[in-house]
Amino acid sequence: MSRLDWEDLNLFLAVAREGGLSAAANATGRSPATLGRRMLGLERELGRELFVRHDRGYRLTGEGQSLLSELSEVEARIARLSQRSGIEGLPLVKVSAGTWTTLALLRSFANLVGTPPDIRLRFVSGERVMDIAHREAVIGFRNQRPTDKTFAGRKLAKVEFAPFGAPDAPRLWIKVLADTPSARWLAKYAEGDAVCEVNSPRNALDLALAGQGMALLPTFIGDSEAGLLRAAQVVPELTHDQWLVVHEADRHIPEVRRAIGRMCRVLEGPRG
């Protein structure tokens, strides 16, 4: 351990977080060949096997996961000592969620960032699933349990969908053109009964609030809008579990841990 090169530990963090040599090379400015040699040297120096090498990249072993967790804690402490004052100096946590989960979280924004704020949040809202393995997002919300062992998941409340509209709105659908289960259900069953088509789920809510027709919404959104009523029963085939997903290597980082706890309290509590 006396000959341990601290630069190798920084390079290890890059390879571990990026999941491979090519992505880590872009992040560090070192060549993949150099990174590969440095990781082999670090394993020899520590006497530990840190990676399982395969065609798709580098996967951490159990010992590699332990080292990543330990170094992440040290990195976070150093960052707190050296961070700038003000909001820009706060640690950043990137969050990937669909339109409706993002809307629910943003309505409780003050509860998420702390009082006074101790984290910054970057929301990447959309229906495309972001790649947590390559850190497009740190925290993601999914409609199924993660199967990759490098991810940790926490099951949240069930999500149900139902038609919502203003009391005097026409019983015509506002269709969403998107690759989501609810949009596919509408495409199958709404047929010619659509008054309008939109490509943004949020626009369907806006039109429903304006009394233009019925929108298929999660009940935690529709029930929270004073101007909307359920126009029919819950659609059983759209009911699903919601999971918060995070990379196993990131979930013990202090700011990530705080964000997870606060988001779970918002989404698991009453959302009306």
Side-chain angles (χ1 to χ4, degrees):
M1 293 293 290
S2 61
R3 292 178 292 146
L4 190 62
D5 189 334
W6 285 99
E7 186 181 12
D8 282 347
L9 296 177
N10 282 323
L11 296 177
F12 165 80
L13 286 173
V15 175
R17 288 170 175 166
E18 298 296 338
L21 299 181
S22 296
N26 291 332
T28 62
R30 302 299 185 91
S31 71
T34 296
L35 289 173
R37 288 195 301 271
R38 298 292 285 268
M39 292 306 97
L40 283 172
L42 180 61
E43 287 178 320
R44 286 195 295 269
E45 187 65 27
L46 293 175
R48 305 186 204 175
E49 185 179 22
L50 302 174
F51 299 101
V52 176
R53 294 155 174 87
H54 53 81
D55 292 341
R56 296 184 302 278
Y58 275 36
R59 178 167 56 84
L60 289 171
T61 63
E63 290 187 316
Q65 291 279 4
S66 297
L67 180 60
L68 179 57
S69 295
E70 292 167 4
L71 291 178
S72 295
E73 290 283 353
V74 173
E75 186 183 49
R77 292 193 191 103
I78 294 172
R80 284 195 297 272
L81 290 172
S82 60
Q83 68 182 205
R84 294 172 294 170
S85 60
I87 296 297
E88 289 190 0
L90 297 177
L92 175 68
V93 179
K94 293 183 287 186
V95 182
S96 165
T99 297
W100 306 123
T101 298
T102 299
L103 180 57
L105 290 171
L106 290 178
R107 287 173 171 174
S108 296
F109 182 76
N111 294 326
L112 301 181
V113 298
T115 307
D118 56 13
I119 57 174
R120 282 189 300 143
L121 295 175
R122 177 183 297 166
F123 285 92
V124 186
S125 177
E127 310 316 314
R128 182 176 77 86
V129 175
M130 305 297 285
D131 191 341
I132 293 176
H134 289 90
R135 303 316 194 271
E136 287 186 319
V138 174
I139 297 172
F141 291 87
R142 306 287 184 262
N143 61 9
Q144 58 187 358
R145 183 174 192 163
T147 56
D148 192 320
K149 292 184 179 179
T150 62
F151 296 159
R154 178 166 173 175
K155 187 177 179 181
L156 304 172
K158 281 189 179 296
V159 176
E160 297 178 328
F161 280 78
F164 286 86
D168 298 325
R171 290 306 186 251
L172 295 173
W173 287 106
I174 302 161
K175 289 180 66 175
V176 178
L177 306 178
D179 187 20
T180 64
S182 58
R184 290 192 292 271
W185 187 91
L186 273 176
K188 182 176 180 180
Y189 292 106
E191 297 180 350
D193 296 330
V195 67
C196 183
E197 296 179 348
V198 296
N199 69 348
S200 168
R202 177 57 197 258
N203 291 155
L205 172 60
D206 295 334
L207 285 168
L209 288 169
Q212 300 304 308
M214 296 185 304
L216 186 60
L217 302 172
T219 55
F220 68 82
I221 293 294
D223 288 339
S224 70
E225 297 289 350
L228 298 181
L229 298 173
R230 293 196 192 192
Q233 298 299 312
V234 165
V235 179
E237 55 263 50
L238 293 178
T239 299
H240 63 268
D241 293 325
Q242 186 178 51
W243 288 81
L244 183 151
V245 180
V246 64
H247 199 287
E248 182 68 39
D250 293 339
R251 68 187 181 113
H252 297 298
I253 297 174
E255 59 267 23
V256 175
R257 191 167 60 240
R258 290 196 299 273
I260 289 172
R262 293 166 185 173
M263 290 179 183
C264 287
R265 284 193 289 275
V266 168
L267 296 178
E268 291 173 337
R271 294 193 281 187

